[in-house]
């Protein structure tokens, strides 16, 4: 038996479908796994420990971990599990171990790391753990061997259509359908994996490379129809890192979504949206899109060049105007205090935000401050060698 554990990432009132572990569960037999969600229980350690005590067949705990709150809960839970149940194999996957596999495997309570897309890597690992064989032949896997850390070659990953749909029946789905600004019964969905761009501060690029694979419009619309009919969902937040790519794909998907009558939100590139025709913008609006989150990142073109953003401030201003004309609220995220000249960056970005609000008073502004983040290779901001991370 396998336990798939999703550590707490948010307050219970904001919980959403645990898509990461649901994606892994989708490729497993229904009766071989259970999902434990830290967002839906008070003490995930106790839940997992009780499952192990009551079922001697539990031999693997798979954990999805993003940096931040999930890491804070995953570390003590996994440490306690390994101390009490040393025979249980603990496997970490998700963004944190994909970015920092060496740091994770130096922890005595983690046995394996699944890097990047996990469906096939995890199932192949299960086979070797249970029937024997070599871990060295599993792409995307990192592990410890004779005291050394080994990283197998990257896995050539696949698009969503290559795998089964999410197993909503394996969770208490109604507990995750909650009010939002979009509607009183909001759910989430992810219709693609990866991102084809090369922003040098982005963990998505480090984890997956500059690639993206999209779910077919027919399958996306089919899932939304199912959620509406089965659970009364009337709004969707798309968790794609980059929802809009090819215009033909967007137009077809929006046409299929119009009859559903759902409000929705997504993330997108500013320049991608600017390339779309008015006809496609009309379909986006008519399909229920109410807000689009975009990474403006800075009000300074010199900072955007340093980020390899391949975007200009003029394009951000243009999108604010175009979104206003179509009645879609643009969200613009900004990073304040980029390290090469933080005071100038803050000053210029705040002035730029004021310009944005005069063009489109309804636009939403999301502010982050620059935080040094280690990457597998060169880190953004010229921080390498200037101080040590823990």
């Amino acid at each position: 038996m396998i336990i798939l554990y999703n550590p707490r990432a948010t307050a219970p009132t904001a919980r959403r479908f645990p898509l990461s572990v649901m994606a892994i569960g989708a490729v497993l037999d229904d009766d071989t796994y259970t999902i434990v969600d830290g967002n839906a229980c008070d003490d995930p350690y106790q839940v997992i420990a009780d499952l192990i005590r009551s079922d001697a067949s539990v031999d693997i705990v798979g954990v999805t971990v993003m940096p931040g709150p999930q890491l804070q809960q995953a570390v003590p839970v996994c440490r306690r599990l390994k101390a009490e149940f040393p025979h249980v194999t603990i496997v970490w996957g998700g963004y944190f171990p994909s970015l920092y596999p060496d740091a994770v495997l130096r922890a005595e309570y983690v046995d394996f790391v699944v890097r990047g897309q996990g469906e096939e890597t995890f199932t192949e690992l299960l086979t070797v753990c249970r029937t024997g064989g070599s871990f060295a032949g599993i792409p995307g896997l990192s592990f410890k061997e004779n005291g050394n850390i080994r990283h197998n070659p990257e896995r050539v990953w696949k698009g969503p259509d290559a795998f089964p749909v999410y197993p909503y029946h394996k969770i208490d789905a109604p507990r995750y359908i909650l009010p939002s600004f979009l509607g009183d019964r909001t759910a989430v969905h992810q219709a693609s994996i990866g991102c084809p761009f090369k922003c040098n501060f982005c963990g998505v690029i480090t984890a997956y490379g500059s690639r993206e694979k999209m779910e077919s419009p027919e399958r996306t619309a089919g899932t939304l129809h199912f959620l509406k009919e089965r659970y009364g969902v009337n709004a969707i937040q798309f968790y794609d890192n980059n929802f809009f790519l090819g215009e033909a794909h967007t137009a077809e998907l929006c046409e299929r979504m119009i009859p559903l009558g759902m409000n929705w939100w997504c993330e997108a590139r500013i320049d991608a949206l600017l390339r779309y025709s008015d006809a496609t913008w009309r379909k986006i609006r008519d399909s229920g899109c109410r807000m689009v989150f975009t990474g403006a990142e800075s009000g300074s073109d010199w900072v955007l060049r340093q980020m390899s953003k391949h975007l200009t401030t003029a394009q951000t201003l243009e999108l604010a105007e175009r979104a206003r004309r179509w009645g879609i609220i643009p969200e613009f995220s900004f990073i304040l205090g980029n390290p090469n000249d933080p005071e100038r960056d803050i000053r210029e970005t705040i002035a730029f935000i004021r310009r944005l609000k005069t063009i489109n008073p309804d636009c939403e502004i999301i502010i982050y401050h620059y935080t040094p983040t280690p990457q597998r290779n060169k880190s953004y901001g010229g921080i390498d060698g200037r101080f040590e991370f823990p």
Side-chain angles (χ1 to χ4, degrees), residues 17-137:
F17 294 147
L19 297 181
S20 295
V21 290
M22 291 173 69
I24 299 299
V27 299
L28 304 174
D29 292 335
D30 252 13
D31 59 352
T32 63
Y33 75 97
T34 188
I35 291 174
V36 175
D37 184 9
N39 298 301
C41 63
D42 293 330
D43 187 351
Y45 169 79
Q46 197 60 53
V47 174
I48 296 170
D50 287 347
L51 286 169
I52 297 173
R53 295 187 192 107
S54 64
D55 186 346
S57 71
V58 175
D59 57 349
I60 292 178
V61 176
V63 191
T64 180
V65 187
M66 289 190 71
Q70 284 201 313
L71 183 67
Q72 289 178 311
Q73 187 178 83
V75 167
V77 167
C78 291
R79 182 183 286 123
R80 290 180 66 190
L81 288 173
K82 181 58 75 171
E84 185 172 352
F85 309 103
H87 66 284
V88 174
T89 298
I90 296 180
V91 183
W92 275 28
Y95 272 100
F96 189 85
S98 294
L99 294 174
Y100 316 120
D102 286 54
V104 172
L105 286 171
R106 282 196 291 268
E108 69 279 2
Y109 46 85
V110 180
D111 299 298
F112 296 95
V113 161
V114 171
R115 308 188 315 273
Q117 189 176 48
E119 289 91 334
E120 293 183 325
T121 302
F122 187 71
T123 53
E124 291 177 19
L125 174 62
L126 293 179
T127 299
V128 174
C129 284
R130 290 171 173 175
T131 65
S134 173
F135 298 117

Side-chain angles (χ1 to χ4, degrees), residues 32-335:
T32 63
Y33 75 97
T34 188
I35 291 174
V36 175
D37 184 9
N39 298 301
C41 63
D42 293 330
D43 187 351
Y45 169 79
Q46 197 60 53
V47 174
I48 296 170
D50 287 347
L51 286 169
I52 297 173
R53 295 187 192 107
S54 64
D55 186 346
S57 71
V58 175
D59 57 349
I60 292 178
V61 176
V63 191
T64 180
V65 187
M66 289 190 71
Q70 284 201 313
L71 183 67
Q72 289 178 311
Q73 187 178 83
V75 167
V77 167
C78 291
R79 182 183 286 123
R80 290 180 66 190
L81 288 173
K82 181 58 75 171
E84 185 172 352
F85 309 103
H87 66 284
V88 174
T89 298
I90 296 180
V91 183
W92 275 28
Y95 272 100
F96 189 85
S98 294
L99 294 174
Y100 316 120
D102 286 54
V104 172
L105 286 171
R106 282 196 291 268
E108 69 279 2
Y109 46 85
V110 180
D111 299 298
F112 296 95
V113 161
V114 171
R115 308 188 315 273
Q117 189 176 48
E119 289 91 334
E120 293 183 325
T121 302
F122 187 71
T123 53
E124 291 177 19
L125 174 62
L126 293 179
T127 299
V128 174
C129 284
R130 290 171 173 175
T131 65
S134 173
F135 298 117
I138 304 175
L141 184 72
S142 295
F143 59 100
K144 290 172 277 196
E145 184 178 63
N146 299 323
N148 299 313
I149 294 174
R150 291 192 55 177
H151 302 298
N152 291 345
E154 301 293 329
R155 178 174 293 276
V156 177
W157 45 275
K158 300 177 180 178
D161 291 350
F163 302 108
V165 296
Y166 295 118
Y168 300 98
H169 62 284
K170 294 289 289 188
I171 61 171
D172 185 2
R175 295 186 71 188
Y176 297 87
I177 300 169
L178 299 170
S180 75
F181 73 96
L182 294 167
D184 60 355
R185 297 191 61 76
T186 301
V188 298
H189 183 65
Q190 185 162 342
S192 69
I193 182 172
C195 177
F197 297 94
K198 297 182 179 181
C199 307
N200 58 19
F201 61 88
C202 182
V204 178
I205 307 307
T206 306
Y208 288 99
S210 297
R211 296 164 292 178
E212 181 171 9
K213 292 184 181 291
M214 307 287 293
E215 185 176 56
S216 68
E218 180 180 13
R219 175 163 144 154
T220 303
T223 296
L224 301 186
H225 182 268
F226 168 81
L227 292 173
K228 179 178 180 179
E229 293 300 310
R230 176 65 62 89
Y231 301 115
V233 169
N234 59 17
I236 289 288
Q237 292 174 312
F238 286 103
Y239 277 1
D240 302 55
N241 300 122
N242 185 42
F243 189 71
F244 293 128
L245 275 182
E247 185 168 0
H249 182 280
T250 298
E252 180 185 348
L253 176 58
C254 289
E255 286 175 357
R256 291 177 179 272
M257 290 177 63
I258 288 173
L260 297 174
M262 287 185 174
N263 292 334
W264 56 278
W265 170 99
C266 70
E267 299 184 30
R269 284 272 305 195
I270 289 170
D271 48 359
L273 282 168
L274 290 177
R275 287 194 293 268
Y276 285 2
S277 66
D278 283 353
T280 299
W281 272 86
R282 182 174 294 106
K283 291 175 182 178
I284 294 171
R285 180 199 62 192
D286 292 349
S287 66
C289 181
R290 296 294 174 259
M291 180 181 288
V292 177
F293 178 98
T294 64
E297 312 306 5
S298 178
S300 305
D301 285 321
W302 59 274
V303 173
L304 294 173
R305 288 191 294 270
Q306 290 179 355
M307 290 177 169
S308 299
K309 186 69 182 176
H310 299 293
L311 185 73
T312 66
T313 54
Q315 288 174 302
T316 301
L317 296 172
E318 183 181 354
L319 181 65
E321 167 60 24
R322 197 165 189 195
R324 184 189 61 78
R325 287 193 282 117
W326 289 102
I328 297 172
I329 298 171
E331 275 186 304
F332 296 110
S333 73
F334 292 91
I335 302 170

